[in-house]
Amino acid sequence: DADAGAADGRGERQTLRAAMGKTSSTSKAIGPVALLNAAVGVYVYLGDVSGPSRAVLGVLLFALLVVVCNEASGTDPIGRTVELFEHMTRNHVGDVDDLVNRMNDMQKNHVPEERYSSAQWIANKYYDLVTLFYEWGWGQSFHFVYQYKGESFQTALRRHEWYLAGRLGVNAGDKILDVGCGIGGPMRNIAEFTLADVTGVSINNYQVQRGNYLNAKAGLASRCRLVNADFMQLPFEDNSFDGVYAIEATEHAPDRTACYREILRVLKPGAVFACYEWCYTDVHDESREDHRTLKREIEEASGLPGLASTHDCKQSMIDAGFQVLDDRDLGEDDVRGGDPWWLPLAPSPNIFSQRFQFTKVGMALTTNLLWALEQVWLVPKGTYKVQTLLLEDAVACYQGGLQRTFTPMYLLVGRKPAASE
């Protein structure tokens, strides 16, 4: 056992070294997070300036870097950053400590009704806090993806979404449901790909407002809409949809079988539900303390009621009444010389990479600059705490991916039996 553990450790270190030596396509263009890293690196050297003046100088340096790098990269970080700050001034970040306390309490609570109530509140509050950060740093599609060699991050995201939509077998004009739709990035891509009519549900009202605004901006308001609803109690009639999908969303369900059963209810007979699930894999060893700790860290940092195994998810789909057509972990796909899904979360010493923020130095610098911005009222109180929460989540997911104990892309495809069956 000791020899096996040592071999596992050597393998993990070799994989990490290989990852550290690569440049993910997500970091080839200079983005807002990279600019924040660069600005904060200068900020900490302003040792002779103290108090609010130091914070203001740091902000001015950040603005200067944004303008220069915007011209160099063409990725419009200045526009994205200004938009983030505008949204943050209109939306109070909230009490992060209260969220963390409720998340910890939920992990200890084994009463189903109380866990369900907590899961609802936590999911809503969690996305109140993190949605702005997700959109700023990741884009409009809040999910992971691996990249083939030469494939851009945004192209990979669309491929991942289109593949799932393709499993539904829908036609132009069919009605599709997106369960846990975020701000509707996948919805818009899938609507354009399938020419279908897509309705999304999110428990978070800010996501619904933001998503419908983006639908209108993209000229898709007639075929795409978001509804404020709990996917455990969908506000739709039985047999309403020609297809249903979920992308890294139903891990927030306090009861996976009940969630799938509710999806089955609104799906037409013979139609298909396809999803990507967060799961722990067969590599996870419950007898190992480090694996148990890593699983708990992912659950706590992501506000989850509990991670299920791939086997449990598949069984939940069967118990809900689906005929399982396919299941596999896409995290194990051959990326053909490309980047694994967890690479954007891997620490990098390159200060112009968004991955720099996951180094110990990058974490400290980013958090300190956000704290300074709070002191001069440029961002709401609690912003740096939200960033800390997201960094903890990223580190836990990265470690789970690196060690192959966790996957955010376990594919499940299930068919609702036809009325005659």
Short mmCIF file of all heavy atoms in Angstrom, two decimals, residues 138-184:
data_model
loop_
_atom_site.label_atom_id
_atom_site.label_comp_id
_atom_site.label_asym_id
_atom_site.label_seq_id
_atom_site.Cartn_x
_atom_site.Cartn_y
_atom_site.Cartn_z
N TRP A 138 -15.02 34.04 -16.43
CA TRP A 138 -15.20 32.79 -17.17
C TRP A 138 -16.01 32.99 -18.44
O TRP A 138 -15.82 32.27 -19.42
CB TRP A 138 -15.89 31.78 -16.25
CG TRP A 138 -15.66 30.35 -16.60
CD1 TRP A 138 -16.51 29.52 -17.29
CD2 TRP A 138 -14.52 29.53 -16.28
NE1 TRP A 138 -15.98 28.26 -17.41
CE2 TRP A 138 -14.75 28.25 -16.80
CE3 TRP A 138 -13.33 29.77 -15.61
CZ2 TRP A 138 -13.84 27.20 -16.66
CZ3 TRP A 138 -12.42 28.74 -15.46
CH2 TRP A 138 -12.68 27.47 -15.98
N GLY A 139 -16.95 33.92 -18.42
CA GLY A 139 -17.84 34.11 -19.56
C GLY A 139 -19.28 33.80 -19.18
O GLY A 139 -19.62 33.71 -18.00
N GLN A 140 -20.14 33.62 -20.16
CA GLN A 140 -21.56 33.43 -19.91
C GLN A 140 -21.97 31.98 -19.72
O GLN A 140 -23.12 31.70 -19.37
CB GLN A 140 -22.37 34.06 -21.05
CG GLN A 140 -22.20 35.57 -21.15
CD GLN A 140 -22.95 36.17 -22.32
OE1 GLN A 140 -23.79 35.54 -22.94
NE2 GLN A 140 -22.62 37.42 -22.64
N SER A 141 -21.07 31.05 -19.95
CA SER A 141 -21.34 29.62 -19.75
C SER A 141 -20.57 29.14 -18.52
O SER A 141 -19.35 29.03 -18.55
CB SER A 141 -20.93 28.82 -20.98
OG SER A 141 -21.74 29.16 -22.10
N PHE A 142 -21.31 28.84 -17.46
CA PHE A 142 -20.66 28.52 -16.18
C PHE A 142 -20.40 27.02 -16.06
O PHE A 142 -21.04 26.31 -15.28
CB PHE A 142 -21.55 28.97 -15.01
CG PHE A 142 -21.86 30.45 -14.98
CD1 PHE A 142 -22.88 30.92 -14.18
CD2 PHE A 142 -21.15 31.36 -15.74
CE1 PHE A 142 -23.18 32.27 -14.13
CE2 PHE A 142 -21.44 32.72 -15.70
CZ PHE A 142 -22.46 33.17 -14.89
N HIS A 143 -19.47 26.52 -16.85
CA HIS A 143 -19.14 25.10 -16.73
C HIS A 143 -17.72 24.84 -17.23
O HIS A 143 -17.11 25.68 -17.89
CB HIS A 143 -20.15 24.23 -17.50
CG HIS A 143 -20.19 24.50 -18.99
ND1 HIS A 143 -19.31 23.96 -19.88
CD2 HIS A 143 -21.05 25.25 -19.73
CE1 HIS A 143 -19.61 24.35 -21.11
NE2 HIS A 143 -20.65 25.15 -21.04
N PHE A 144 -17.23 23.66 -16.90
CA PHE A 144 -15.87 23.26 -17.30
C PHE A 144 -15.91 22.59 -18.68
O PHE A 144 -16.96 22.17 -19.17
CB PHE A 144 -15.28 22.28 -16.29
CG PHE A 144 -14.99 22.89 -14.95
CD1 PHE A 144 -15.77 22.59 -13.84
CD2 PHE A 144 -13.93 23.76 -14.78
CE1 PHE A 144 -15.50 23.14 -12.59
CE2 PHE A 144 -13.64 24.32 -13.55
CZ PHE A 144 -14.44 24.01 -12.46
N VAL A 145 -14.74 22.49 -19.28
CA VAL A 145 -14.61 21.81 -20.56
C VAL A 145 -13.13 21.52 -20.81
O VAL A 145 -12.26 22.26 -20.37
CB VAL A 145 -15.18 22.68 -21.71
CG1 VAL A 145 -14.34 23.93 -21.91
CG2 VAL A 145 -15.29 21.90 -23.02
N TYR A 146 -12.84 20.42 -21.48
CA TYR A 146 -11.46 20.21 -21.94
C TYR A 146 -11.32 20.82 -23.32
O TYR A 146 -12.31 21.09 -24.01
CB TYR A 146 -11.09 18.72 -21.94
CG TYR A 146 -11.94 17.82 -22.80
CD1 TYR A 146 -11.81 17.82 -24.20
CD2 TYR A 146 -12.85 16.93 -22.24
CE1 TYR A 146 -12.57 16.98 -24.99
CE2 TYR A 146 -13.61 16.08 -23.02
CZ TYR A 146 -13.47 16.12 -24.40
OH TYR A 146 -14.24 15.29 -25.18
N GLN A 147 -10.08 21.07 -23.71
CA GLN A 147 -9.82 21.70 -25.00
C GLN A 147 -8.91 20.84 -25.85
O GLN A 147 -7.90 20.31 -25.36
CB GLN A 147 -9.14 23.06 -24.81
CG GLN A 147 -10.01 24.11 -24.14
CD GLN A 147 -9.20 25.34 -23.76
OE1 GLN A 147 -8.95 25.59 -22.59
NE2 GLN A 147 -8.79 26.10 -24.76
N TYR A 148 -9.28 20.68 -27.12
CA TYR A 148 -8.38 20.04 -28.06
C TYR A 148 -7.27 21.02 -28.45
O TYR A 148 -7.40 22.23 -28.27
CB TYR A 148 -9.14 19.62 -29.32
CG TYR A 148 -10.14 18.50 -29.09
CD1 TYR A 148 -11.48 18.65 -29.42
CD2 TYR A 148 -9.73 17.29 -28.54
CE1 TYR A 148 -12.39 17.64 -29.21
CE2 TYR A 148 -10.63 16.27 -28.32
CZ TYR A 148 -11.97 16.44 -28.66
OH TYR A 148 -12.86 15.43 -28.45
N LYS A 149 -6.19 20.49 -28.95
CA LYS A 149 -5.05 21.32 -29.33
C LYS A 149 -5.48 22.34 -30.38
O LYS A 149 -6.11 21.99 -31.39
CB LYS A 149 -3.92 20.45 -29.88
CG LYS A 149 -2.61 21.21 -30.09
CD LYS A 149 -1.49 20.26 -30.49
CE LYS A 149 -0.17 21.01 -30.67
NZ LYS A 149 0.92 20.07 -31.04
N GLY A 150 -5.18 23.61 -30.14
CA GLY A 150 -5.52 24.67 -31.07
C GLY A 150 -6.94 25.19 -30.95
O GLY A 150 -7.32 26.10 -31.68
N GLU A 151 -7.71 24.62 -30.03
CA GLU A 151 -9.11 25.02 -29.85
C GLU A 151 -9.20 26.12 -28.80
O GLU A 151 -8.63 25.99 -27.72
CB GLU A 151 -9.93 23.81 -29.42
CG GLU A 151 -11.42 24.04 -29.32
CD GLU A 151 -12.16 22.78 -28.89
OE1 GLU A 151 -11.63 22.06 -28.00
OE2 GLU A 151 -13.25 22.52 -29.43
N SER A 152 -9.90 27.20 -29.08
CA SER A 152 -10.06 28.26 -28.10
C SER A 152 -11.01 27.80 -26.99
O SER A 152 -11.80 26.86 -27.17
CB SER A 152 -10.61 29.53 -28.75
OG SER A 152 -11.99 29.37 -29.07
N PHE A 153 -10.95 28.49 -25.87
CA PHE A 153 -11.80 28.13 -24.74
C PHE A 153 -13.27 28.29 -25.08
O PHE A 153 -14.10 27.43 -24.79
CB PHE A 153 -11.42 28.99 -23.52
CG PHE A 153 -12.14 28.60 -22.26
CD1 PHE A 153 -11.98 27.34 -21.71
CD2 PHE A 153 -12.97 29.50 -21.61
CE1 PHE A 153 -12.63 26.98 -20.53
CE2 PHE A 153 -13.63 29.15 -20.44
CZ PHE A 153 -13.46 27.89 -19.90
N GLN A 154 -13.64 29.40 -25.72
CA GLN A 154 -15.03 29.64 -26.07
C GLN A 154 -15.54 28.63 -27.09
O GLN A 154 -16.70 28.17 -27.02
CB GLN A 154 -15.21 31.07 -26.59
CG GLN A 154 -14.99 32.15 -25.55
CD GLN A 154 -15.92 32.00 -24.34
OE1 GLN A 154 -17.11 31.70 -24.49
NE2 GLN A 154 -15.38 32.18 -23.15
N THR A 155 -14.70 28.25 -28.03
CA THR A 155 -15.09 27.22 -29.00
C THR A 155 -15.31 25.89 -28.30
O THR A 155 -16.27 25.16 -28.60
CB THR A 155 -14.02 27.07 -30.09
OG1 THR A 155 -13.88 28.31 -30.79
CG2 THR A 155 -14.38 25.98 -31.07
N ALA A 156 -14.45 25.57 -27.34
CA ALA A 156 -14.59 24.32 -26.59
C ALA A 156 -15.89 24.31 -25.79
O ALA A 156 -16.58 23.28 -25.71
CB ALA A 156 -13.39 24.12 -25.68
N LEU A 157 -16.22 25.45 -25.17
CA LEU A 157 -17.47 25.54 -24.41
C LEU A 157 -18.67 25.25 -25.30
O LEU A 157 -19.57 24.47 -24.93
CB LEU A 157 -17.63 26.92 -23.79
CG LEU A 157 -16.73 27.27 -22.59
CD1 LEU A 157 -16.87 28.75 -22.24
CD2 LEU A 157 -17.06 26.41 -21.38
N ARG A 158 -18.68 25.84 -26.48
CA ARG A 158 -19.80 25.61 -27.41
C ARG A 158 -19.85 24.17 -27.87
O ARG A 158 -20.95 23.58 -27.98
CB ARG A 158 -19.70 26.57 -28.61
CG ARG A 158 -20.01 28.02 -28.25
CD ARG A 158 -20.19 28.86 -29.51
NE ARG A 158 -18.96 28.98 -30.27
CZ ARG A 158 -18.05 29.92 -30.08
NH1 ARG A 158 -18.22 30.82 -29.13
NH2 ARG A 158 -16.97 29.97 -30.83
N ARG A 159 -18.70 23.58 -28.16
CA ARG A 159 -18.67 22.18 -28.58
C ARG A 159 -19.28 21.29 -27.50
O ARG A 159 -20.07 20.38 -27.79
CB ARG A 159 -17.23 21.74 -28.88
CG ARG A 159 -17.09 20.22 -29.04
CD ARG A 159 -15.66 19.79 -29.29
NE ARG A 159 -14.70 20.33 -28.35
CZ ARG A 159 -14.54 19.89 -27.09
NH1 ARG A 159 -15.31 18.92 -26.60
NH2 ARG A 159 -13.60 20.43 -26.32
N HIS A 160 -18.90 21.53 -26.26
CA HIS A 160 -19.39 20.75 -25.12
C HIS A 160 -20.91 20.86 -25.00
O HIS A 160 -21.60 19.87 -24.74
CB HIS A 160 -18.71 21.29 -23.86
CG HIS A 160 -18.75 20.38 -22.68
ND1 HIS A 160 -18.23 19.11 -22.68
CD2 HIS A 160 -19.24 20.58 -21.42
CE1 HIS A 160 -18.39 18.56 -21.49
NE2 HIS A 160 -19.02 19.43 -20.70
N GLU A 161 -21.43 22.06 -25.22
CA GLU A 161 -22.87 22.29 -25.13
C GLU A 161 -23.61 21.68 -26.32
O GLU A 161 -24.66 21.05 -26.16
CB GLU A 161 -23.14 23.80 -25.06
CG GLU A 161 -22.60 24.45 -23.80
CD GLU A 161 -22.40 25.95 -23.91
OE1 GLU A 161 -22.77 26.54 -24.95
OE2 GLU A 161 -21.88 26.55 -22.94
N TRP A 162 -23.04 21.84 -27.50
CA TRP A 162 -23.69 21.31 -28.70
C TRP A 162 -23.73 19.78 -28.68
O TRP A 162 -24.69 19.18 -29.17
CB TRP A 162 -22.95 21.79 -29.95
CG TRP A 162 -23.11 23.27 -30.21
CD1 TRP A 162 -24.04 24.11 -29.64
CD2 TRP A 162 -22.33 24.07 -31.08
NE1 TRP A 162 -23.88 25.39 -30.11
CE2 TRP A 162 -22.84 25.40 -31.00
CE3 TRP A 162 -21.25 23.83 -31.93
CZ2 TRP A 162 -22.30 26.46 -31.73
CZ3 TRP A 162 -20.72 24.88 -32.66
CH2 TRP A 162 -21.24 26.18 -32.56
N TYR A 163 -22.67 19.17 -28.14
CA TYR A 163 -22.68 17.71 -28.06
C TYR A 163 -23.85 17.24 -27.19
O TYR A 163 -24.57 16.31 -27.56
CB TYR A 163 -21.36 17.20 -27.46
CG TYR A 163 -21.38 15.71 -27.20
CD1 TYR A 163 -21.29 14.79 -28.24
CD2 TYR A 163 -21.53 15.21 -25.91
CE1 TYR A 163 -21.33 13.43 -28.01
CE2 TYR A 163 -21.59 13.84 -25.66
CZ TYR A 163 -21.48 12.96 -26.72
OH TYR A 163 -21.54 11.61 -26.49
N LEU A 164 -24.04 17.89 -26.04
CA LEU A 164 -25.14 17.50 -25.16
C LEU A 164 -26.48 17.72 -25.85
O LEU A 164 -27.38 16.86 -25.78
CB LEU A 164 -25.07 18.30 -23.87
CG LEU A 164 -25.94 17.78 -22.72
CD1 LEU A 164 -25.42 16.45 -22.19
CD2 LEU A 164 -26.00 18.79 -21.58
N ALA A 165 -26.62 18.87 -26.52
CA ALA A 165 -27.87 19.14 -27.23
C ALA A 165 -28.13 18.12 -28.32
O ALA A 165 -29.28 17.73 -28.56
CB ALA A 165 -27.82 20.55 -27.83
N GLY A 166 -27.06 17.67 -28.96
CA GLY A 166 -27.21 16.67 -30.02
C GLY A 166 -27.76 15.35 -29.51
O GLY A 166 -28.40 14.59 -30.26
N ARG A 167 -27.53 15.06 -28.22
CA ARG A 167 -28.03 13.81 -27.66
C ARG A 167 -29.55 13.85 -27.44
O ARG A 167 -30.16 12.81 -27.19
CB ARG A 167 -27.33 13.51 -26.33
CG ARG A 167 -25.82 13.38 -26.39
CD ARG A 167 -25.36 12.32 -27.39
NE ARG A 167 -25.91 11.00 -27.12
CZ ARG A 167 -25.27 10.05 -26.43
NH1 ARG A 167 -24.07 10.29 -25.93
NH2 ARG A 167 -25.82 8.87 -26.25
N LEU A 168 -30.15 15.04 -27.49
CA LEU A 168 -31.59 15.16 -27.25
C LEU A 168 -32.41 14.73 -28.47
O LEU A 168 -33.57 14.34 -28.33
CB LEU A 168 -31.96 16.59 -26.88
CG LEU A 168 -31.28 17.18 -25.64
CD1 LEU A 168 -31.78 18.61 -25.40
CD2 LEU A 168 -31.52 16.31 -24.41
N GLY A 169 -31.82 14.84 -29.67
CA GLY A 169 -32.54 14.46 -30.87
C GLY A 169 -33.72 15.36 -31.19
O GLY A 169 -34.75 14.88 -31.69
N VAL A 170 -33.58 16.65 -30.91
CA VAL A 170 -34.70 17.57 -31.14
C VAL A 170 -34.61 18.20 -32.52
O VAL A 170 -33.56 18.18 -33.17
CB VAL A 170 -34.72 18.68 -30.06
CG1 VAL A 170 -34.99 18.08 -28.69
CG2 VAL A 170 -33.42 19.47 -30.07
N ASN A 171 -35.75 18.76 -32.94
CA ASN A 171 -35.84 19.42 -34.24
C ASN A 171 -36.09 20.92 -34.05
O ASN A 171 -36.41 21.38 -32.95
CB ASN A 171 -36.99 18.82 -35.06
CG ASN A 171 -36.77 17.35 -35.34
OD1 ASN A 171 -35.69 16.95 -35.75
ND2 ASN A 171 -37.81 16.55 -35.11
N ALA A 172 -35.96 21.67 -35.14
CA ALA A 172 -36.25 23.11 -35.11
C ALA A 172 -37.68 23.33 -34.63
O ALA A 172 -38.61 22.64 -35.06
CB ALA A 172 -36.06 23.71 -36.50
N GLY A 173 -37.83 24.26 -33.69
CA GLY A 173 -39.14 24.58 -33.16
C GLY A 173 -39.57 23.76 -31.97
O GLY A 173 -40.56 24.09 -31.30
N ASP A 174 -38.83 22.69 -31.66
CA ASP A 174 -39.16 21.88 -30.48
C ASP A 174 -38.91 22.69 -29.21
O ASP A 174 -38.11 23.63 -29.20
CB ASP A 174 -38.30 20.61 -30.43
CG ASP A 174 -38.82 19.52 -31.37
OD1 ASP A 174 -39.91 19.72 -31.95
OD2 ASP A 174 -38.15 18.50 -31.53
N LYS A 175 -39.58 22.30 -28.15
CA LYS A 175 -39.45 22.99 -26.87
C LYS A 175 -38.49 22.23 -25.96
O LYS A 175 -38.69 21.05 -25.68
CB LYS A 175 -40.82 23.13 -26.20
CG LYS A 175 -41.79 24.01 -26.98
CD LYS A 175 -43.09 24.21 -26.22
CE LYS A 175 -44.06 25.07 -27.01
NZ LYS A 175 -43.50 26.42 -27.31
N ILE A 176 -37.42 22.95 -25.51
CA ILE A 176 -36.38 22.36 -24.68
C ILE A 176 -36.36 23.08 -23.33
O ILE A 176 -36.60 24.29 -23.26
CB ILE A 176 -34.99 22.49 -25.35
CG1 ILE A 176 -34.96 21.79 -26.70
CG2 ILE A 176 -33.90 21.92 -24.45
CD1 ILE A 176 -33.63 21.96 -27.43
N LEU A 177 -36.04 22.34 -22.28
CA LEU A 177 -35.88 22.91 -20.95
C LEU A 177 -34.43 22.82 -20.51
O LEU A 177 -33.81 21.75 -20.60
CB LEU A 177 -36.77 22.18 -19.94
CG LEU A 177 -36.68 22.65 -18.48
CD1 LEU A 177 -37.17 24.09 -18.33
CD2 LEU A 177 -37.46 21.72 -17.56
N ASP A 178 -33.87 23.94 -20.03
CA ASP A 178 -32.53 24.00 -19.45
C ASP A 178 -32.70 24.07 -17.94
O ASP A 178 -33.19 25.06 -17.40
CB ASP A 178 -31.80 25.24 -19.98
CG ASP A 178 -30.37 25.38 -19.47
OD1 ASP A 178 -30.07 24.82 -18.39
OD2 ASP A 178 -29.57 26.07 -20.11
N VAL A 179 -32.28 23.03 -17.24
CA VAL A 179 -32.47 22.92 -15.79
C VAL A 179 -31.25 23.50 -15.08
O VAL A 179 -30.15 22.96 -15.18
CB VAL A 179 -32.69 21.45 -15.38
CG1 VAL A 179 -32.74 21.32 -13.86
CG2 VAL A 179 -33.97 20.91 -16.00
N GLY A 180 -31.43 24.60 -14.35
CA GLY A 180 -30.32 25.28 -13.69
C GLY A 180 -29.47 26.00 -14.71
O GLY A 180 -28.31 25.66 -14.93
N CYS A 181 -30.05 27.03 -15.34
CA CYS A 181 -29.50 27.59 -16.58
C CYS A 181 -28.47 28.70 -16.38
O CYS A 181 -27.94 29.22 -17.36
CB CYS A 181 -30.63 28.11 -17.44
SG CYS A 181 -31.59 29.45 -16.67
N GLY A 182 -28.17 29.12 -15.14
CA GLY A 182 -27.24 30.22 -14.95
C GLY A 182 -27.77 31.49 -15.58
O GLY A 182 -28.95 31.83 -15.43
N ILE A 183 -26.93 32.18 -16.35
CA ILE A 183 -27.38 33.39 -17.06
C ILE A 183 -27.65 33.09 -18.54
O ILE A 183 -27.75 34.00 -19.36
CB ILE A 183 -26.37 34.54 -16.91
CG1 ILE A 183 -24.99 34.15 -17.46
CG2 ILE A 183 -26.27 34.99 -15.46
CD1 ILE A 183 -24.01 35.32 -17.52
N GLY A 184 -27.76 31.81 -18.87
CA GLY A 184 -28.25 31.44 -20.18
C GLY A 184 -27.24 31.34 -21.30
O GLY A 184 -27.63 31.30 -22.46
#
